[in-house]
Amino acid sequence: MTELDSLWEAIQNSFRQSKSQVTFDTLIAPAKPLSLSQNQLEVEVPTKVHRDFWEKNLKAELKQYAKTVTNQEIEPHFVLEGEFDPYQNDRPAESNNFEMDTPLNPHYNFKTFVVGEGNKMAHAAAFAVAESPGGLYNPLFIYGGVGLGKTHLMEAIGNHMLQLNPTAKVKYVTSEEFTNDFIHSIQSNSTEKFREEYRNLDLLLIDDIQFLANKEGTQLEFFNTFNALHDNKKQIVMTSDRIPNEIPELQDRLVSRFRWGLTVEITPPDLETRIAILRSKVEEDHINIGNDTLNYIAGQIDTNIRELEGALTKVQAFSNLSQEPITPHLASQALRGLQRTTKTTITITSIQKNVADFYNITQSDIVGKKRVKQIVVPRQIAMYLSRELTDYSLPKIGKEFGGKDHTTVLHAIDKIEEELQTNNELQEQLNTLKAKLKA
Ligand SMILES: Nc1ncnc2c1ncn2[C@@H]1O[C@H](COP(=O)(O)OP(=O)(O)OP(=O)(O)O)[C@@H](O)[C@H]1O
């Protein structure tokens, strides 16, 4: 659930309690939240009647509820269905929109980043880069699953560098923004300006680089930007949800350049780290929540820190609205319906055992080196399932399969994916195996 969704759910719950059922069903429920940006909340309503009613009768209450949940003054705007322009706030005053930098989020700094087993290497590398940009690791490539703190660490580098040197030229963009800037510069005949802007930076932070996949022209431009910065010993930091050579359609020359520096992975946090993250958040926000409740929340969400934070917000909102103190029981009510993810309960060992049993071979065959087909195929299947059903990285999976290289794992995954396109029998076998593993 996004921040917007959980905020809206909390607002609706309050209205549900303060208004009659008919008012709620007719005038409140049909309104849909569209966006929340810089404390501006866009809400879509189906008719003018709804809009007038919200403006006159519900707006003040809405603001009050939103403040209870977020602790901020939120300003709502009501728009009629179909009239919403998602770019109205982003539109630059003049045409060269690549000058409009996305500002760094000041909260994303090293102080607010909780270090645990899964991110300590990435944290150390990021800190080293922030202290000595362009020197040690260039580029720094941070990869890992959704919501695990890649952007946080990346922006922390930028914030730290600006603290040390306030005149440093730091730019943070997502790879999509880079692409848009580039396309825009072509359209407006200002590629020179674009290049000057990007190639004279001290630090370039590019988030979610995997979205450069399939964009040939942008990749070439990025390649040249990269070289210009690197040649001048300017720091480049990138994030992605996977390692460079797993990004489809990424040109080899980029892949090889990304490997020049250091590639570090962030893996999902263990329970202790999740509790520590929640604790630091409640301390920062001065919220009174006992350890038992934090333990409960941390036990419910194990793969995504953004969701973990969302769960905390949900519990707070629930307590505010119900006027009850926060306890594990209240938390369990607030988080009812939240599906515990099965990802981390499936281990590589359990996959190896199940696959071995299924194909009548032994687990040592699976992790061994025999090259006969009856063993090679189940081994590849086990690697494929390990990638799909767990959060382990390719190198870690390789290690669990008798110390194989991550390229062997990658090859196995490719092989099985290719085979699955035409082989229905294999598809069924995998479905059976997955059902067994998730049971
Ligand atoms: N170690 C940590 N300590 C404190 N907060 C963290 C930590 N890791 C992540 N967070 C918080 O979790 C949220 C999600 O983090 P972030 O946006 O950096 O993830 P991401 O890996 O970039 O996700 P995505 O793949 O969706 O881009 C942020 O609010 C961030 O501050």
Side-chain angles (χ1 to χ4, degrees), residues 332-379:
S332 80
Q333 283 184 303
L335 303 181
R336 212 170 20 205
L338 199 81
Q339 286 281 311
R340 259 207 72 138
T341 145
T342 50
K343 273 200 160 184
T344 49
T345 56
I346 299 176
T347 61
I348 295 182
T349 312
S350 69
I351 292 173
Q352 291 171 342
K353 279 197 185 118
N354 272 276
V355 173
D357 285 353
F358 191 86
Y359 291 103
N360 269 328
I361 56 174
T362 64
Q363 196 190 349
S364 27
D365 286 333
I366 294 265
V367 299
K369 290 195 166 65
K370 283 190 205 145
R371 303 281 318 145
V372 288
K373 193 172 177 207
Q374 296 92 311
I375 294 174
V376 170
V377 175
R379 186 183 293 143

Coordinates of all heavy atoms in Angstrom, one line a residue, residues 332-379:
S332 N -2.4 -5.6 15.6 CA -2.9 -6.8 14.8 C -4.2 -6.4 14.2 O -4.5 -6.9 13.1 CB -3.0 -8.0 15.7 OG -4.2 -8.0 16.4
Q333 N -5.1 -5.6 14.8 CA -6.3 -5.2 14.2 C -6.1 -4.3 13.0 O -6.6 -4.4 12.0 CB -7.2 -4.5 15.2 CG -7.9 -5.4 16.2 CD -8.8 -4.6 17.1 OE1 -8.3 -3.6 17.7 NE2 -10.0 -4.9 17.1
A334 N -5.2 -3.3 13.2 CA -4.9 -2.4 12.2 C -4.3 -3.1 10.9 O -4.5 -2.7 9.8 CB -3.9 -1.3 12.7
L335 N -3.5 -4.1 11.2 CA -2.8 -4.7 10.1 C -3.5 -6.0 9.6 O -3.0 -6.8 8.9 CB -1.4 -5.1 10.5 CG -0.5 -3.9 10.9 CD1 0.9 -4.3 11.3 CD2 -0.5 -2.8 9.9
R336 N -4.8 -6.1 10.0 CA -5.5 -7.3 9.6 C -5.6 -7.4 8.1 O -5.7 -6.4 7.4 CB -7.0 -7.2 10.2 CG -7.6 -8.5 10.5 CD -8.8 -8.4 11.3 NE -9.4 -7.0 11.1 CZ -10.3 -6.5 11.9 NH1 -10.6 -7.1 13.0 NH2 -10.8 -5.3 11.7
G337 N -5.5 -8.6 7.6 CA -5.6 -8.8 6.2 C -4.2 -8.6 5.5 O -4.1 -8.9 4.3
L338 N -3.2 -8.2 6.3 CA -1.9 -8.1 5.6 C -1.4 -9.5 5.4 O -1.2 -10.2 6.4 CB -1.0 -7.3 6.6 CG 0.2 -6.7 6.0 CD1 -0.2 -5.4 5.4 CD2 1.2 -6.4 7.2
Q339 N -1.0 -9.8 4.2 CA -0.5 -11.1 4.0 C 0.9 -11.2 4.3 O 1.7 -10.4 3.9 CB -0.6 -11.4 2.5 CG -2.0 -11.7 2.0 CD -2.4 -13.1 2.3 OE1 -1.7 -14.0 2.0 NE2 -3.6 -13.2 3.0
R340 N 1.3 -12.1 5.2 CA 2.7 -12.3 5.4 C 3.3 -12.9 4.2 O 2.8 -13.8 3.6 CB 2.9 -13.4 6.5 CG 3.2 -12.7 7.8 CD 4.0 -13.7 8.7 NE 5.3 -13.8 8.1 CZ 6.4 -13.8 8.8 NH1 6.3 -13.8 10.1 NH2 7.6 -13.9 8.3
T341 N 4.4 -12.3 3.7 CA 5.0 -12.8 2.5 C 5.7 -14.1 2.8 O 6.3 -14.3 3.8 CB 6.0 -11.8 1.9 OG1 7.1 -12.6 1.3 CG2 6.6 -10.9 2.9
T342 N 5.6 -15.0 1.8 CA 6.1 -16.3 2.0 C 7.6 -16.4 1.6 O 8.2 -17.4 1.8 CB 5.4 -17.4 1.1 OG1 5.3 -16.9 -0.2 CG2 4.0 -17.6 1.7
K343 N 8.0 -15.3 1.0 CA 9.3 -15.3 0.3 C 10.5 -15.9 1.2 O 11.2 -16.8 0.9 CB 9.7 -14.0 -0.2 CG 9.2 -13.7 -1.6 CD 10.0 -12.6 -2.2 CE 9.8 -12.7 -3.7 NZ 10.6 -11.7 -4.3
T344 N 10.6 -15.3 2.4 CA 11.8 -15.7 3.2 C 11.6 -17.0 4.0 O 12.5 -17.5 4.5 CB 12.2 -14.6 4.2 OG1 11.0 -14.2 4.9 CG2 12.7 -13.4 3.5
T345 N 10.3 -17.5 4.0 CA 10.2 -18.8 4.7 C 10.6 -19.9 3.9 O 10.8 -21.0 4.3 CB 8.7 -19.0 5.2 OG1 7.9 -18.9 4.0 CG2 8.3 -17.9 6.2
I346 N 10.8 -19.7 2.6 CA 11.3 -20.7 1.7 C 12.8 -20.6 1.6 O 13.3 -19.5 1.3 CB 10.7 -20.6 0.3 CG1 9.2 -20.7 0.4 CG2 11.3 -21.6 -0.7 CD1 8.4 -20.5 -0.9
T347 N 13.5 -21.7 1.9 CA 15.0 -21.6 1.9 C 15.5 -22.3 0.7 O 14.8 -23.2 0.1 CB 15.6 -22.2 3.2 OG1 15.2 -23.6 3.2 CG2 15.0 -21.6 4.5
I348 N 16.7 -22.0 0.4 CA 17.4 -22.7 -0.7 C 17.5 -24.2 -0.4 O 17.2 -25.0 -1.3 CB 18.8 -22.1 -1.0 CG1 18.6 -20.6 -1.5 CG2 19.5 -22.9 -2.1 CD1 19.9 -19.9 -1.8
T349 N 17.8 -24.5 0.8 CA 17.9 -25.9 1.2 C 16.5 -26.6 1.0 O 16.5 -27.8 0.4 CB 18.3 -26.1 2.7 OG1 19.4 -25.2 2.9 CG2 18.6 -27.5 3.0
S350 N 15.4 -26.0 1.4 CA 14.1 -26.7 1.2 C 13.8 -26.8 -0.3 O 13.3 -27.8 -0.7 CB 13.0 -26.0 1.9 OG 12.8 -24.7 1.3
I351 N 14.3 -25.9 -1.1 CA 14.0 -26.0 -2.6 C 14.9 -27.2 -3.1 O 14.4 -28.0 -3.8 CB 14.4 -24.7 -3.3 CG1 13.5 -23.6 -2.9 CG2 14.5 -24.9 -4.8 CD1 13.8 -22.2 -3.4
Q352 N 16.1 -27.2 -2.7 CA 17.0 -28.3 -3.2 C 16.4 -29.7 -2.8 O 16.4 -30.6 -3.6 CB 18.4 -28.2 -2.6 CG 19.1 -27.0 -3.1 CD 20.4 -26.7 -2.4 OE1 20.6 -27.2 -1.2 NE2 21.3 -25.9 -2.9
K353 N 15.9 -29.8 -1.5 CA 15.4 -31.1 -1.1 C 14.2 -31.5 -1.9 O 14.0 -32.6 -2.3 CB 15.0 -31.0 0.4 CG 16.2 -31.1 1.4 CD 15.7 -31.5 2.8 CE 16.8 -31.5 3.7 NZ 16.7 -30.5 4.8
N354 N 13.2 -30.5 -2.0 CA 12.0 -30.8 -2.7 C 12.2 -31.2 -4.2 O 11.6 -32.1 -4.7 CB 11.1 -29.6 -2.7 CG 10.2 -29.6 -1.4 OD1 9.2 -30.3 -1.4 ND2 10.7 -29.0 -0.4
V355 N 13.1 -30.4 -4.8 CA 13.4 -30.7 -6.2 C 14.1 -32.1 -6.4 O 13.8 -32.9 -7.2 CB 14.3 -29.6 -6.9 CG1 14.8 -30.0 -8.3 CG2 13.6 -28.3 -6.9
A356 N 15.0 -32.4 -5.5 CA 15.7 -33.7 -5.5 C 14.7 -34.8 -5.3 O 14.7 -35.8 -6.1 CB 16.8 -33.8 -4.4
D357 N 13.8 -34.7 -4.3 CA 12.8 -35.8 -4.1 C 11.9 -35.9 -5.4 O 11.6 -37.0 -5.8 CB 11.8 -35.4 -3.0 CG 12.5 -35.6 -1.7 OD1 13.7 -36.1 -1.7 OD2 12.0 -35.1 -0.6
F358 N 11.5 -34.8 -5.9 CA 10.6 -34.8 -7.1 C 11.2 -35.6 -8.3 O 10.5 -36.3 -9.0 CB 10.3 -33.3 -7.4 CG 9.2 -33.2 -8.4 CD1 7.9 -33.1 -8.0 CD2 9.4 -33.1 -9.8 CE1 6.8 -32.9 -8.9 CE2 8.4 -32.9 -10.7 CZ 7.1 -32.8 -10.2
Y359 N 12.5 -35.4 -8.5 CA 13.2 -36.0 -9.6 C 13.9 -37.3 -9.3 O 14.8 -37.7 -10.1 CB 14.1 -35.0 -10.3 CG 13.3 -33.9 -11.0 CD1 13.2 -32.6 -10.4 CD2 12.6 -34.1 -12.2 CE1 12.4 -31.6 -11.0 CE2 11.8 -33.1 -12.8 CZ 11.7 -31.9 -12.2 OH 11.0 -30.9 -12.8
N360 N 13.7 -37.7 -8.1 CA 14.3 -39.0 -7.6 C 15.8 -39.0 -7.7 O 16.5 -39.9 -8.1 CB 13.8 -40.1 -8.5 CG 12.6 -40.8 -7.9 OD1 12.5 -40.8 -6.7 ND2 11.7 -41.3 -8.7
I361 N 16.4 -37.9 -7.3 CA 17.9 -37.8 -7.1 C 18.2 -37.4 -5.7 O 17.2 -37.2 -4.9 CB 18.5 -36.9 -8.2 CG1 17.9 -35.5 -8.1 CG2 18.4 -37.5 -9.6 CD1 18.6 -34.5 -9.0
T362 N 19.4 -37.2 -5.4 CA 19.7 -36.8 -4.0 C 20.1 -35.3 -3.9 O 20.4 -34.7 -5.0 CB 20.9 -37.5 -3.4 OG1 22.0 -37.2 -4.2 CG2 20.7 -39.0 -3.4
Q363 N 20.0 -34.7 -2.7 CA 20.4 -33.3 -2.6 C 21.8 -33.1 -2.9 O 22.2 -32.0 -3.5 CB 20.1 -32.8 -1.2 CG 20.0 -31.3 -1.1 CD 20.0 -30.8 0.4 OE1 19.7 -31.6 1.3 NE2 20.2 -29.5 0.5
S364 N 22.7 -34.1 -2.6 CA 24.1 -33.9 -3.0 C 24.3 -33.9 -4.5 O 25.2 -33.3 -5.0 CB 25.0 -34.9 -2.3 OG 24.4 -36.1 -2.0
D365 N 23.4 -34.6 -5.2 CA 23.5 -34.5 -6.7 C 23.2 -33.1 -7.1 O 23.9 -32.5 -8.0 CB 22.4 -35.4 -7.4 CG 22.8 -36.9 -7.3 OD1 24.0 -37.2 -7.2 OD2 21.8 -37.7 -7.3
I366 N 22.2 -32.5 -6.5 CA 21.8 -31.1 -6.8 C 22.9 -30.1 -6.6 O 23.2 -29.2 -7.4 CB 20.6 -30.7 -6.0 CG1 19.4 -31.5 -6.3 CG2 20.3 -29.2 -6.1 CD1 18.4 -30.9 -7.4
V367 N 23.7 -30.3 -5.5 CA 24.7 -29.3 -5.2 C 26.1 -29.8 -5.8 O 27.1 -29.0 -5.7 CB 24.9 -29.0 -3.7 CG1 23.6 -28.4 -3.2 CG2 25.3 -30.2 -2.9
G368 N 26.1 -31.0 -6.4 CA 27.4 -31.5 -6.9 C 27.7 -31.0 -8.3 O 27.2 -30.0 -8.7
K369 N 28.6 -31.8 -8.9 CA 29.2 -31.3 -10.2 C 28.8 -32.2 -11.4 O 29.3 -32.0 -12.5 CB 30.7 -31.2 -10.1 CG 31.2 -30.1 -9.1 CD 32.7 -29.9 -9.4 CE 33.2 -28.6 -8.7 NZ 33.1 -28.6 -7.3
K370 N 28.1 -33.3 -11.1 CA 27.8 -34.3 -12.2 C 27.1 -33.6 -13.3 O 26.2 -32.8 -13.1 CB 26.9 -35.4 -11.7 CG 27.7 -36.4 -10.9 CD 26.9 -37.7 -10.6 CE 27.4 -38.3 -9.3 NZ 26.4 -39.0 -8.6
R371 N 27.5 -33.9 -14.6 CA 27.0 -33.2 -15.7 C 26.0 -34.0 -16.5 O 25.7 -33.7 -17.7 CB 28.2 -32.8 -16.7 CG 29.2 -32.0 -16.1 CD 28.9 -30.5 -15.9 NE 28.2 -30.0 -17.1 CZ 27.2 -29.1 -17.1 NH1 26.8 -28.6 -15.9 NH2 26.6 -28.7 -18.2
V372 N 25.4 -35.1 -15.9 CA 24.4 -35.9 -16.7 C 23.1 -35.2 -16.7 O 22.7 -34.5 -15.7 CB 24.2 -37.3 -16.2 CG1 25.4 -38.2 -16.5 CG2 23.9 -37.3 -14.7
K373 N 22.3 -35.4 -17.8 CA 21.1 -34.6 -18.0 C 20.1 -34.8 -16.8 O 19.5 -33.8 -16.4 CB 20.5 -35.0 -19.3 CG 19.4 -34.1 -19.7 CD 18.9 -34.4 -21.1 CE 17.7 -33.4 -21.4 NZ 16.8 -33.9 -22.3
Q374 N 20.0 -36.0 -16.3 CA 19.0 -36.3 -15.2 C 19.3 -35.5 -14.0 O 18.5 -35.3 -13.1 CB 19.0 -37.8 -14.8 CG 18.6 -38.7 -15.9 CD 19.8 -39.3 -16.6 OE1 20.6 -38.5 -17.1 NE2 19.9 -40.6 -16.8
I375 N 20.5 -35.0 -13.9 CA 20.9 -34.2 -12.7 C 21.0 -32.7 -13.1 O 20.5 -31.8 -12.3 CB 22.2 -34.7 -12.1 CG1 22.0 -36.1 -11.5 CG2 22.7 -33.7 -11.0 CD1 23.2 -36.8 -11.0
V376 N 21.5 -32.4 -14.2 CA 21.7 -31.0 -14.6 C 20.4 -30.3 -14.7 O 20.2 -29.2 -14.1 CB 22.4 -30.9 -16.0 CG1 22.4 -29.5 -16.5 CG2 23.9 -31.4 -15.9
V377 N 19.3 -30.9 -15.3 CA 18.1 -30.2 -15.4 C 17.5 -29.9 -14.0 O 17.1 -28.7 -13.7 CB 17.1 -30.9 -16.3 CG1 15.8 -30.2 -16.4 CG2 17.7 -31.0 -17.7
P378 N 17.3 -30.9 -13.1 CA 16.8 -30.6 -11.8 C 17.6 -29.5 -11.1 O 17.1 -28.6 -10.4 CB 16.8 -31.9 -11.0 CG 16.8 -32.9 -12.1 CD 17.5 -32.4 -13.3
R379 N 19.0 -29.5 -11.3 CA 19.8 -28.5 -10.6 C 19.4 -27.1 -11.1 O 19.3 -26.2 -10.4 CB 21.3 -28.8 -11.0 CG 22.3 -28.0 -10.2 CD 23.7 -28.3 -10.6 NE 24.1 -29.6 -10.2 CZ 24.9 -30.4 -11.0 NH1 25.4 -30.0 -12.1 NH2 25.2 -31.6 -10.5

